[in-house]
Amino acid sequence: MDAGQESVLREISDRGIRLVRLWFTDVSGVLKAVAIDPGELESAFTEGIGFDGSSIEGLTRVYESDMLLRPDASTFTILPNRSEDEPVARMFCDVLTPDGQPALSDPRGVLERTLERARNIGFTVMIHPEVEFYLLKNTDDPLKIEPADTAGYFDHVARDGSNDFRRRAVRTLEDMGISVEFSHHEGGPGQNEIDLRATEALQAADNIVTLRTVVEEVALSQNQVATFMPKPFQDFPGSGMHTHISLFEGDSNAFYDPSGQYQLSVTGRRFIAGLLRHAKEISAVVNQSVNSYKRLWGGGEAPSFITWGHNNRSALVRVPLYKPNKPDSARVEYRAIDSAANPYLALAVLISAGLAGVEGKYDLPDEAEDDVWHLSDRERAALGIEALPHDLKDAVAELSNSELVAATLGEEAFDFLIREKKQEWREYRAQITAWELRQSIKLL
């Protein structure tokens, strides 16, 4: 064992930890967990814990079902709000094959391989996510959901349940060692946002998974329901996860150039060009559900067209300039990704697309200065502005032809994602919606 693993074993002994939860996700980003006795942890570190991988969506095929979980000691944390007499800890895991090799379909492993590629060309990737979600009143009928409040953007309402909810959620995250930059009420009634401080990309993905779990648990403790569904309400804004990305070379921000437009370096411009060129083919990963496209094409500042800009919030990629002349703050903001995406796969394809632009020396097209939503189709065509996929079917068609995404995800995860999303579209297309019934059936 290494020093980190030995340190975890000592802390477990010193703190009297009674249970250790091992966390990982399936290909869709659903959190999975198994609890082990602390006495099994040394073996888990050295040999892994066996489980049936064929029972987890997308991890492996039935005839290759034996898989191993190996805890990542650097992710060890004690779960808050548990009994002091029976403290519980958790760690994220890497998924391995029986011979101890990384499982190619493990979402966390996909991101790890992408970050290794970035390191090989000299970059460390930093991620700052802004996670939006809706807080709902508890109901037994998912067709009759109701926001938990009637507040709006940045509203502060005395004795408002959302204020107490965010305070508890943020405190829980910080007790787990996850730094929160700020939190606030978003534009829709019941809609909230929690922004996590920038950190290295793998830790950022782990933090997003943890945030979603904490938010759901805190909501349930208050007899409410939290949803990260991209567009739960037709008339209110969708929930995105605007993601700020920066590349560092050692201690220097590779996106910063004091003489560049918006103080953005050539590397930063090429990274944006990569995001734009590959935006269609990565869409089914960063917007992985049928509902995702109702957010993208439902207004509310969601991006629908492949453009970049500075203060233009209709753009797909934005160059924020909150702190001019501060090198560490230079970054680009990708605005299409939604809060329901698998963060490991989504960050992996975003980083791969950007690095393709850097390595391929892509040229950045002209900035979009106007609100592209208000341009006519003819005006957009004249400017060379293309649209993101209109629905999941179009997104999967783009994905199916993507060499970049196939190379990033690996054959197993890539093939599974295509099969799963085609099936989701078939099931959705077969549904009879309330809108259709209202349009077609006239009751006397």
Side-chain angles (χ1 to χ4, degrees):
M1 291 191 299
D2 61 30
Q5 294 167 341
E6 292 174 351
S7 176
V8 167
L9 292 176
R10 284 195 300 271
E11 185 168 359
I12 285 175
S13 177
D14 294 343
R15 300 287 291 271
I17 302 296
R18 300 294 184 88
L19 202 65
V20 179
R21 298 192 184 278
L22 306 183
W23 285 8
F24 65 107
T25 74
D26 66 13
V27 173
S28 296
V30 176
L31 179 64
K32 304 293 181 179
V34 60
I36 65 171
D37 184 273
E40 301 297 320
L41 191 54
E42 183 173 350
S43 175
F45 280 142
T46 57
E47 300 176 7
I49 295 291
F51 73 105
D52 180 4
S54 67
S55 297
I56 306 298
E57 290 289 340
L59 277 191
T60 189
R61 293 159 286 197
V62 172
Y63 59 85
E64 300 171 330
S65 59
D66 293 334
M67 306 290 279
L68 296 169
L69 292 174
R70 185 165 64 196
D72 181 345
S74 70
T75 67
F76 176 84
T77 188
I78 297 174
L79 296 175
N81 303 322
R82 298 300 199 274
S83 168
E84 293 184 2
D85 294 332
E86 294 188 356
V88 176
R90 76 97 167 97
M91 279 180 283
F92 282 96
C93 293
D94 292 315
V95 181
L96 310 177
T97 60
D99 59 359
Q101 297 302 307
L104 296 180
S105 54
D106 173 26
R108 196 169 189 264
V110 168
L111 180 55
E112 287 174 319
R113 291 195 299 273
T114 303
L115 297 176
E116 180 64 24
R117 177 190 162 205
R119 283 191 292 270
N120 287 340
I121 57 177
F123 296 121
T124 299
V125 186
M126 300 294 289
I127 299 292
H128 160 59
E130 302 176 354
V131 188
E132 296 175 344
F133 55 91
Y134 272 90
L135 198 60
L136 311 174
K137 295 180 180 179
N138 206 349
T139 176
D140 294 330
D141 188 350
L143 300 181
K144 295 180 180 179
I145 60 174
E146 183 179 351
D149 59 60
T150 58
Y153 188 68
F154 267 42
D155 280 358
H156 176 86
V157 182
R159 295 184 297 277
D160 176 42
S162 291
N163 292 335
D164 180 61
F165 165 83
R166 288 195 302 275
R167 177 183 58 80
R168 291 185 57 190
V170 168
R171 185 173 63 188
T172 300
L173 289 167
E174 292 184 337
D175 286 346
M176 297 179 71
I178 297 174
S179 296
V180 175
E181 190 165 72
F182 54 81
S183 65
H184 61 87
H185 201 285
E186 252 298 334
Q191 191 179 32
N192 293 268
E193 177 176 312
I194 297 177
D195 293 7
L196 302 181
R197 196 170 298 279
T199 189
E200 190 274 332
L202 183 62
Q203 184 179 0
D206 290 342
N207 289 349
I208 292 166
V209 173
T210 303
L211 180 150
R212 294 199 299 215
T213 304
V214 166
V215 163
E216 290 172 352
E217 290 188 354
V218 172
L220 288 173
S221 73
Q222 299 186 172
N223 195 33
Q224 295 173 318
V225 174
T227 178
F228 295 89
M229 183 179 180
K231 184 74 170 174
F233 296 102
Q234 176 178 326
D235 298 325
F236 303 142
S239 292
M241 188 170 69
H242 298 167
T243 299
H244 299 249
I245 309 171
S246 54
L247 300 182
F248 276 74
E249 295 175 297
D251 295 330
S252 299
N253 190 335
F255 283 178
Y256 179 73
D257 180 351
S259 64
Q261 183 186 22
Y262 309 129
Q263 298 183 350
L264 188 68
S265 69
V266 171
T267 297
R269 292 176 63 85
R270 289 172 175 167
F271 193 92
I272 294 175
L275 292 175
L276 298 180
R277 183 179 297 190
H278 298 286
K280 290 182 181 180
E281 62 201 86
I282 68 173
S283 185
V285 182
V286 300
N287 305 109
Q288 66 173 5
S289 73
V290 163
N291 186 253
S292 296
Y293 298 86
K294 298 186 177 182
R295 167 186 167 254
L296 291 181
W297 292 97
E301 292 191 351
S304 305
F305 300 96
I306 303 172
T307 60
W308 76 279
H310 169 45
N311 282 326
N312 188 348
R313 293 185 181 271
S314 69
L316 173 63
V317 181
R318 196 170 72 88
V319 182
L321 203 61
Y322 295 123
K323 299 176 180 179
N325 303 313
K326 186 176 181 181
D328 285 356
S329 70
R331 60 197 186 276
V332 301
E333 176 189 10
Y334 193 85
R335 298 172 59 82
I337 183 173
D338 60 51
S339 298
N342 182 329
Y344 301 107
L345 300 186
L347 293 182
V349 296
L350 287 175
I351 294 164
S352 288
L355 291 178
V358 173
E359 292 186 294
K361 299 181 179 180
Y362 292 1
D363 291 327
L364 184 63
D366 291 338
E367 174 185 8
E369 298 179 353
D370 299 320
D371 183 348
V372 293
W373 266 101
H374 292 102
L375 297 177
S376 67
D377 289 343
R378 179 176 295 180
E379 289 171 321
R380 284 192 289 264
L383 293 170
I385 295 174
E386 297 184 83
L388 288 170
H390 283 78
D391 53 39
L392 184 62
K393 178 184 177 183
D394 289 346
V396 172
E398 296 285 351
L399 172 69
S400 299
N401 295 317
S402 175
E403 294 181 4
L404 179 137
V405 178
T408 301
L409 301 189
E411 179 183 354
E412 291 88 348
F414 182 70
D415 290 346
F416 172 80
L417 196 61
I418 292 172
R419 291 196 306 273
E420 183 193 51
K421 294 308 161 186
K422 284 183 176 179
Q423 179 62 25
E424 181 178 341
W425 179 255
R426 285 193 292 268
E427 292 177 4
Y428 170 72
R429 188 176 57 184
Q431 298 302 305
I432 309 301
T433 66
W435 182 88
E436 293 170 277
L437 296 175
R438 286 194 299 268
Q439 291 292 311
S440 302
I441 301 178
K442 309 300 182 183
L443 299 178
L444 297 178

